[in-house]
Amino acid sequence: MKSLFQKKYNSNNFFLLAGPCAIESRDLAMQIAEKIVGITDRLGIPYVFKGSYRKANRTKADSFTGIGDELALSILKEVGEQFGVPTVTDIHETHEAALAARYVDVLQIPAFLCRQTELLAAAAQTGKAVNIKKGQFMSGASMGFAVEKVKMENPEANVMLTERGNSFGYSDLVVDYRNIVDMKVFDADVVMDCTHSLQRPNQTSGVTGGNPELIGTIAKAAIAVGADGLFIETHPDPANAKSDGANMLHLDKLEKLLEDLVRIREVVS
């Protein structure tokens, strides 16, 4: 069965949710979007621009959280309109659903909030597609209840479930690819988050670490086991990104990776 974005773009390829962790500025968002649109158009990959309008889950109180809600959301809307692509952003509380829905096409539920019934319901009520990140503390099989909560509010809702690893000790994550297979039985597209699954959380420095050199490995394995889509945060200068730079893919490395992934998709299909 073709996924939501495969149907929209009449494509048998995987789809891609990609962009910076957070909206840092209009110029940066446009730069990243233009680069990725050029690559995905050439490769025939359905593309969704990703950017968080606000970061609510920060380790330290003084960490970067955003440039202002309305400004960041307006940049997301402008990116979507200028490049003709859908857009996705996170929401954290029920009142944010209606606000964000005025600007973007997909509402994303962060992993730590995937069991929040009222948040899932609020997202569903907007009529937008809903991407639910699987909690680091949950199995893929248990995510059927999250889908059920959305569908109870809106039976026609387009739902995505995103694998992003499971907690392994206090400061690491591990990816169990059985979760992708398990989640594919639900009425939802299944996505692999290739960057957050490589985080090294809870560092004593108060800044989350990561293993970005393994992004390609995670992505290739996900396509091989049947993921419908990939989630990749990317930035032209990860070392100076305002959020999650330690696990983002350098923008210059994205094209070669996507070329390799398209070839893998062709083989497994």
Side-chain angles (χ1 to χ4, degrees):
M1 183 177 66
K2 287 188 176 182
S3 71
L4 164 65
F5 294 108
Q6 288 169 336
K7 290 176 181 177
K8 180 172 181 178
Y9 292 96
N10 191 28
S11 170
N12 289 316
N13 216 339
F14 61 88
F15 61 88
L16 176 69
L17 288 74
C21 177
I23 297 297
E24 299 179 21
S25 70
R26 177 189 179 278
D27 288 347
L28 182 65
M30 291 294 175
Q31 175 190 349
I32 294 172
E34 182 176 24
K35 175 78 170 182
I36 302 177
V37 166
I39 297 169
T40 53
D41 280 355
R42 180 176 68 82
L43 296 176
I45 300 171
Y47 173 51
V48 184
F49 178 84
K50 183 271 168 186
S52 296
Y53 78 93
R54 176 158 53 87
K55 303 300 296 183
N57 176 21
R58 302 288 83 190
T59 302
K60 297 169 64 178
D62 61 353
S63 296
F64 173 81
T65 58
I67 59 175
D69 292 357
E70 295 283 354
L71 176 57
L73 286 166
S74 67
I75 291 170
L76 281 162
K77 183 176 182 179
E78 185 179 357
V79 167
E81 292 174 346
Q82 180 160 326
F83 296 102
V85 297
T87 54
V88 56
T89 199
D90 317 71
I91 59 171
H92 317 90
E93 299 182 61
T94 54
H95 70 268
E96 296 178 44
L99 170 64
R102 298 204 300 266
Y103 296 89
V104 301
D105 304 282
V106 184
L107 300 179
Q108 182 167 284
I109 309 300
F112 283 126
L113 302 177
C114 69
R115 286 173 52 109
Q116 296 297 103
T117 302
E118 291 184 356
L119 181 61
L120 291 165
Q125 289 163 6
T126 67
K128 299 291 185 175
V130 182
N131 181 27
I132 312 169
K133 288 201 168 183
K134 181 184 72 62
Q136 301 92 321
F137 45 86
M138 294 181 66
S139 69
S142 64
M143 288 300 291
F145 300 111
V147 177
E148 185 179 87
K149 290 175 182 179
V150 172
K151 294 288 187 177
M152 285 182 65
E153 294 294 329
N154 179 6
E156 302 303 316
N158 291 299
V159 182
M160 289 175 272
L161 295 175
T162 296
E163 165 63 25
R164 51 99 73 232
N166 281 85
S167 296
F168 187 72
Y170 293 114
S171 301
D172 205 357
L173 297 169
V174 64
V175 176
D176 181 349
Y177 287 92
R178 293 176 298 179
N179 286 326
I180 292 177
V181 178
D182 288 344
M183 291 192 292
K184 285 180 72 70
V185 305
F186 304 122
D187 185 15
D189 296 329
V190 177
V191 179
M192 181 72 230
D193 183 338
C194 305
T195 43
H196 290 95
S197 60
L198 291 167
Q199 282 183 329
R200 302 294 301 276
N202 304 318
Q203 301 295 302
T204 55
S205 65
V207 178
T208 297
N211 296 109
E213 66 277 6
L214 294 176
I215 291 171
T217 302
I218 294 291
K220 291 170 185 176
I223 294 299
V225 299
D228 300 301
L230 298 175
F231 179 106
I232 299 176
E233 288 188 341
T234 182
H235 194 285
D237 185 12
N240 290 302
K242 295 183 181 297
S243 178
D244 277 0
N247 54 270
M248 277 199 279
L249 181 70
H250 196 290
L251 187 60
D252 288 344
K253 296 182 178 181
L254 182 63
E255 185 167 17
K256 176 61 168 59
L257 174 58
L258 292 178
E259 289 173 346
D260 292 344
L261 294 171
V262 167
R263 287 194 289 270
I264 294 172
R265 175 74 175 200
E266 289 171 350
V267 171
V268 298
S269 295

